[in-house]
Amino acid sequence: MPAEPDFDVLFAAAAAVQPRAYAPYSRFKVGAALLADDGSVHAGCNVENAAYPVGTCAEAGAIAAMIAAGGRAIRAIVIFGEGPELVTPCGACRQRIREFAMPETPVAIAGPEGIRARFTLAELLPASFGPANLPR
Ligand code: THU
């Protein structure tokens, strides 16, 4: 059994990157940090664009950093955002996480005060389509 992910470390990494988000249009800054299969931690923030649909989410940035560093699986991910509502990943990012995670992979939602809620990926994206659906 792999060790329990250190959510304190992931929370700190997501909180640290969140202020660096480029979000001049929504003014809604998000940070994400994930634990990769090799034990490394990767963080990302949202990067908006004047051509609105071109903007990217924090989760996409963290996943890109993991892949670029050689990681291939997500063991846990923390998403950090402000405001009264839970900042859960958008539908597209649930699918992005799905590519590299297991149904039971924890997805923790954090705010400035700490972790607010914890889901499994399967709770956020049930009956999902993934790599195993495609012939290799
Ligand atoms: N956003 C993220 O980066 N991650 C989430 O989990 C929710 C939303 C970003 C996208 C956009 O830049 C801004 O937050 C408002 O939707």
Tab-separated table of all heavy atoms in Angstrom, residues 26 28 30 46 48 56-59 79 87-90, ligand 1:
chain	number	residue	atom	x	y	z
A	26	SER	N	-11.551	37.024	-14.925
A	26	SER	CA	-12.473	36.538	-13.890
A	26	SER	C	-12.121	37.082	-12.512
A	26	SER	O	-12.951	37.106	-11.617
A	26	SER	CB	-12.447	35.008	-13.836
A	26	SER	OG	-11.237	34.543	-13.257
A	28	PHE	N	-10.534	35.523	-10.493
A	28	PHE	CA	-10.708	34.345	-9.639
A	28	PHE	C	-9.454	33.473	-9.770
A	28	PHE	O	-9.291	32.745	-10.756
A	28	PHE	CB	-11.971	33.576	-10.054
A	28	PHE	CG	-12.380	32.527	-9.072
A	28	PHE	CD1	-12.982	32.879	-7.866
A	28	PHE	CD2	-12.159	31.187	-9.340
A	28	PHE	CE1	-13.353	31.910	-6.950
A	28	PHE	CE2	-12.529	30.206	-8.431
A	28	PHE	CZ	-13.131	30.574	-7.235
A	30	VAL	N	-6.889	30.518	-8.906
A	30	VAL	CA	-6.946	29.131	-8.425
A	30	VAL	C	-5.537	28.548	-8.471
A	30	VAL	O	-4.761	28.825	-9.398
A	30	VAL	CB	-7.893	28.292	-9.317
A	30	VAL	CG1	-8.003	26.867	-8.791
A	30	VAL	CG2	-9.284	28.938	-9.383
A	46	ASN	N	-4.263	28.978	-12.723
A	46	ASN	CA	-4.984	29.299	-13.951
A	46	ASN	C	-4.294	30.442	-14.690
A	46	ASN	O	-3.723	31.356	-14.082
A	46	ASN	CB	-6.477	29.575	-13.708
A	46	ASN	CG	-6.768	30.582	-12.627
A	46	ASN	OD1	-6.003	30.754	-11.693
A	46	ASN	ND2	-7.891	31.263	-12.748
A	48	GLU	N	-5.355	32.890	-17.701
A	48	GLU	CA	-6.434	33.326	-18.601
A	48	GLU	C	-5.853	34.010	-19.843
A	48	GLU	O	-4.650	34.220	-19.963
A	48	GLU	CB	-7.399	34.227	-17.826
A	48	GLU	CG	-8.071	33.445	-16.694
A	48	GLU	CD	-9.110	34.237	-15.923
A	48	GLU	OE1	-9.190	35.474	-16.072
A	48	GLU	OE2	-9.848	33.584	-15.152
A	56	THR	N	-6.415	28.567	-19.404
A	56	THR	CA	-6.238	27.219	-18.864
A	56	THR	C	-6.437	27.220	-17.343
A	56	THR	O	-6.150	28.208	-16.662
A	56	THR	CB	-4.843	26.668	-19.196
A	56	THR	OG1	-3.858	27.622	-18.803
A	56	THR	CG2	-4.711	26.392	-20.690
A	57	CYS	N	-6.908	26.103	-16.851
A	57	CYS	CA	-7.193	25.942	-15.420
A	57	CYS	C	-5.925	25.566	-14.654
A	57	CYS	O	-4.957	25.037	-15.223
A	57	CYS	CB	-8.234	24.854	-15.206
A	57	CYS	SG	-9.907	25.321	-15.696
A	58	ALA	N	-5.991	25.789	-13.358
A	58	ALA	CA	-4.872	25.441	-12.479
A	58	ALA	C	-4.523	23.961	-12.575
A	58	ALA	O	-3.342	23.585	-12.576
A	58	ALA	CB	-5.242	25.794	-11.042
A	59	GLU	N	-5.537	23.114	-12.648
A	59	GLU	CA	-5.302	21.668	-12.693
A	59	GLU	C	-4.521	21.291	-13.949
A	59	GLU	O	-3.638	20.426	-13.911
A	59	GLU	CB	-6.635	20.924	-12.678
A	59	GLU	CG	-7.448	21.110	-11.404
A	59	GLU	CD	-8.363	22.329	-11.410
A	59	GLU	OE1	-8.068	23.322	-12.106
A	59	GLU	OE2	-9.379	22.285	-10.708
A	79	ILE	N	-6.930	21.384	-4.691
A	79	ILE	CA	-7.296	22.579	-5.453
A	79	ILE	C	-7.641	23.678	-4.450
A	79	ILE	O	-8.438	23.454	-3.528
A	79	ILE	CB	-8.483	22.267	-6.388
A	79	ILE	CG1	-8.037	21.220	-7.417
A	79	ILE	CG2	-8.951	23.537	-7.102
A	79	ILE	CD1	-9.081	20.226	-7.764
A	87	VAL	N	-14.396	25.162	-4.449
A	87	VAL	CA	-13.824	25.318	-5.791
A	87	VAL	C	-13.456	23.923	-6.300
A	87	VAL	O	-12.308	23.484	-6.236
A	87	VAL	CB	-12.636	26.281	-5.791
A	87	VAL	CG1	-12.088	26.449	-7.216
A	87	VAL	CG2	-13.057	27.638	-5.239
A	88	THR	N	-14.476	23.239	-6.784
A	88	THR	CA	-14.287	21.901	-7.341
A	88	THR	C	-13.851	22.028	-8.801
A	88	THR	O	-14.161	23.017	-9.472
A	88	THR	CB	-15.600	21.101	-7.255
A	88	THR	OG1	-16.661	21.920	-7.743
A	88	THR	CG2	-15.895	20.681	-5.828
A	89	PRO	N	-13.133	21.030	-9.306
A	89	PRO	CA	-12.655	21.139	-10.697
A	89	PRO	C	-13.793	21.143	-11.708
A	89	PRO	O	-14.821	20.483	-11.508
A	89	PRO	CB	-11.764	19.908	-10.872
A	89	PRO	CG	-11.986	19.036	-9.707
A	89	PRO	CD	-12.649	19.829	-8.635
A	90	CYS	N	-13.595	21.898	-12.775
A	90	CYS	CA	-14.589	21.936	-13.844
A	90	CYS	C	-14.667	20.555	-14.520
A	90	CYS	O	-13.810	19.686	-14.311
A	90	CYS	CB	-14.247	23.026	-14.857
A	90	CYS	SG	-12.862	22.624	-15.949
B	1	THU	N1	-10.631	27.593	-12.532
B	1	THU	C1	-9.571	26.775	-12.294
B	1	THU	O1	-8.432	27.098	-12.649
B	1	THU	N2	-9.797	25.620	-11.647
B	1	THU	C2	-10.995	25.238	-11.114
B	1	THU	O2	-11.079	24.182	-10.485
B	1	THU	C3	-12.158	26.090	-11.286
B	1	THU	C4	-11.980	27.251	-12.188
B	1	THU	C5	-10.379	28.879	-13.200
B	1	THU	C6	-10.777	28.977	-14.632
B	1	THU	C7	-10.944	30.483	-14.797
B	1	THU	O3	-9.667	31.057	-15.063
B	1	THU	C8	-11.402	30.949	-13.425
B	1	THU	O4	-11.073	29.900	-12.518
B	1	THU	C9	-12.884	31.249	-13.354
B	1	THU	O5	-13.638	30.205	-13.816
